Amino acid sequence: MAKLFPSIHNQFAELAEKLEKHYKDMQDLEFTIEKGRLYMLQTRTGKRTADAAVTVAVQMVEEGLISKTEAVKRVTPAQLDQLLHPRFDPTFYYEPLARGLPASPGAAVGEVVFDANEAARLGKDGKKLILVRPETTPDDVHGMLAARGVLTSRGGMTSHAAVVARGWGKPCIVGCEAVQIDLEDRRFRVGEVIVSEGEIISINASTGEVVRGEVPLIQPKGLSGDVEVLLKWADDMKRLGVYTNADTPQDAKRARDFGATGIGLCRTEHMFMQPERLVIMQEMIMAHTVEARTEALNKL
């Protein structure tokens, strides 16, 4: 356009800048050129990815178009959530196989496994796994920890799987009723589609979508660059602080990496759920004498 219609190109650039400054936001412009004349047809606030939302907000503050307060308001919590967790590549086309409740955000890809002990064993070898269960219990925690993501056919947003996965920042979909699990034959069915153990599935736990096969993931960048700048502005203007939920050393380290200033909730039962401690806890509970119970507690 600059080569074929230099004067019109310059005029368009001026109008684009004027409209952006007027609306104080990135614009999606529609125009046409007819008989050597530029016609502006429409302008509206442009849609953007989570990455772009942060970048545009920070740059507009630097250009003096908007205030820091307005920049913070323009980036939604859902967009920040996307930047802090793995997510599906938006350029990749896929058909969801089933949908459940998005209990813990993020995305994961892995082989289907139905048994927590098997997940723990395979996880030690570095395999990428999705633990699929009707629902989870404290006995499944070691398998959940080894898996990249968790999918359950039952349960709600406050179910065991949901609460534990959110605490770990692990992708989790619950209450996916279309997934009919056959633990004996180690497979699940959705309508006419059968997925056997070992097959690859992808879960988008930010939307609740389950996909057969592998969807490319975009890994989070963490708190760096424009994201760090924006969150620093949010910290400077906040009236309410939020402390993290951390139950293990790994949780505490992850929280600090993401800028947490303190721990507000530490649920000790999660400490007892570690595989090597769970057996001792069961010993203590089932002890018939004070001596046996004391011995178990000393081990713990």
Side-chain angles (χ1 to χ4, degrees):
M1 186 176 174
K3 289 180 181 178
L4 295 174
F5 310 107
S7 62
I8 293 176
H9 179 268
N10 292 337
Q11 185 187 2
F12 174 76
E14 289 172 10
L15 283 170
E17 186 176 359
K18 181 182 288 187
L19 287 166
E20 186 175 280
K21 285 182 176 178
H22 175 77
Y23 288 105
K24 296 183 178 180
D25 205 349
M26 181 184 78
Q27 294 299 294
D28 177 2
L29 305 169
E30 292 186 13
F31 66 96
T32 188
I33 300 166
E34 188 175 336
K35 296 181 181 178
R37 187 173 182 180
L38 172 68
Y39 292 89
M40 298 302 297
L41 305 178
Q42 180 173 262
T43 187
R44 59 188 166 214
T45 299
K47 293 181 180 178
R48 65 208 76 182
T49 63
D51 278 319
V54 174
T55 299
V56 168
V58 170
Q59 287 184 358
M60 286 195 162
V61 171
E62 293 169 348
E63 293 169 14
L65 285 175
I66 61 175
S67 67
K68 292 178 181 178
T69 302
E70 180 62 27
V72 169
K73 287 180 178 179
R74 283 190 182 179
V75 179
T76 66
Q79 288 171 321
L80 274 178
D81 217 15
Q82 289 180 34
L83 296 176
L84 300 179
H85 295 90
R87 59 192 188 278
F88 281 4
D89 184 343
T91 65
F92 184 83
Y93 177 79
Y94 62 88
E95 287 281 353
L97 177 65
R99 293 177 190 270
L101 298 174
S104 180
V109 177
E111 296 180 19
V112 172
V113 61
F114 293 99
D115 180 78
N117 292 330
E118 184 73 358
R121 185 182 69 79
L122 294 172
K124 286 180 182 177
D125 298 331
K127 280 204 170 187
K128 298 177 181 179
L129 307 166
I130 304 293
L131 180 63
V132 180
R133 300 283 296 162
E135 56 190 345
T136 64
T137 70
D139 288 340
D140 296 317
V141 166
H142 58 302
M144 295 172 67
L145 191 60
R148 297 295 176 98
V150 179
L151 169 64
T152 71
S153 58
R154 298 198 294 263
M157 299 296 275
T158 57
S159 63
H160 176 269
V163 172
V164 173
R166 277 198 297 273
W168 289 341
K170 191 180 290 285
C172 176
I173 297 174
V174 299
C176 192
E177 295 177 357
V179 172
Q180 299 174 25
I181 300 172
D182 184 342
L183 293 177
E184 188 174 336
D185 289 337
R186 294 185 176 269
R187 63 184 187 179
F188 71 79
R189 177 192 294 271
V190 178
E192 298 301 314
V193 178
I194 294 175
V195 178
S196 300
E197 188 165 66
E199 286 192 48
I200 300 287
I201 63 169
S202 306
I203 61 171
N204 184 348
S206 297
T207 61
E209 295 173 316
V210 180
V211 181
R212 190 179 192 182
E214 182 171 353
V215 176
L217 301 183
I218 296 175
Q219 296 302 322
K221 297 176 182 176
L223 299 185
S224 61
D226 290 335
V227 176
E228 189 174 18
V229 170
L230 188 81
L231 290 180
K232 175 65 170 61
W233 294 343
D235 268 343
D236 291 341
M237 62 185 74
K238 75 181 180 187
R239 290 185 295 168
L240 176 69
V242 179
Y243 276 15
T244 189
N245 174 2
D247 313 316
T248 65
Q250 294 84 355
D251 291 343
K253 181 181 184 305
R254 186 183 300 112
R256 294 199 66 163
D257 289 343
F258 280 106
T261 54
I263 294 173
L265 175 64
C266 178
R267 295 177 56 182
T268 55
E269 70 267 29
H270 288 166
M271 299 178 185
F272 304 139
M273 286 177 189
Q274 300 298 318
E276 67 277 9
R277 296 174 183 162
L278 194 57
V279 177
I280 306 172
M281 279 295 294
Q282 289 165 347
E283 272 182 43
M284 186 271 290
I285 292 167
M286 300 301 291
H288 293 292
T289 65
V290 173
E291 291 76 18
R293 179 163 294 176
T294 303
E295 185 183 345
L297 285 170
N298 287 338
K299 283 186 201 174
L300 194 64

